[in-house]
Amino acid sequence: MKKLILASALSLCSFGAVAEVAVIVNPGNANALDAETIKKIYLGKAKSFDNGNKVNPATQNGTAIADEFNSKVVGKSSSQLNAYWSKLVFTGKGTPPEKFDSDQAVIDFVAANGDSIGYIDSNKATNKVKVIATF
């Protein structure tokens, strides 16, 4: 009986495990980005990489990894971030990152666009993209 209770408790804990977020860029991108710069990109406050190239951010729409990224990196909940971007769009002061529905869609976008940045579950990273930070 004790073993059954322990096994049940362990399985419940594993469902609460949080994925590690990997911030990715195109493999040809040599720019180094710190956490504060990544945050500024996703808030529309930084619009280019250090080399002057325009940055094209990709985000995920309604995924658990998006919630993790928004909380850990941007410091807002997904609903707060959506409200933030709605206000900027309404006032003409910004364009939100392009939204995708999966890690694979973000990987494909970043791999095809040299000026892009995105985030995925770190377990999904492939050699098609370069991981520049994990959170």
Side-chain angles (χ1 to χ4, degrees):
M1 183 68 171
K2 287 182 183 178
K3 288 181 183 179
L4 179 60
I5 292 171
L6 180 59
S8 297
L10 288 174
S11 66
L12 285 175
C13 290
S14 67
F15 286 117
V18 176
E20 186 174 52
V21 178
V23 177
I24 58 172
V25 295
N26 184 282
N29 187 331
N31 292 284
L33 301 172
D34 61 12
E36 186 62 26
T37 303
I38 294 167
K39 177 180 178 177
K40 287 179 181 178
I41 288 169
Y42 279 90
L43 290 174
K45 295 177 180 180
K47 299 182 191 288
S48 61
F49 289 110
D50 290 341
N51 65 5
N53 291 348
K54 183 179 180 282
V55 66
N56 190 6
T59 190
Q60 293 194 35
N61 190 24
T63 65
I65 206 71
D67 292 339
E68 280 300 305
F69 177 83
N70 295 337
S71 174
K72 289 179 178 178
V73 180
V74 183
K76 296 182 181 293
S77 70
S78 291
S79 59
Q80 288 172 322
L81 192 57
N82 286 335
Y84 171 86
W85 275 109
S86 292
K87 181 179 176 183
L88 288 181
V89 169
F90 181 74
T91 59
K93 294 181 180 177
T95 303
E98 191 162 344
K99 289 188 176 187
F100 296 91
D101 292 327
S102 68
D103 290 323
Q104 189 58 53
V106 173
I107 290 168
D108 293 343
F109 176 78
V110 170
N113 296 283
D115 63 349
S116 60
I117 185 172
Y119 59 85
I120 58 172
D121 181 325
S122 63
N123 293 326
K124 306 285 177 69
T126 70
N127 61 357
K128 291 173 61 176
V129 294
K130 178 169 68 172
V131 175
I132 58 166
T134 54
F135 299 96

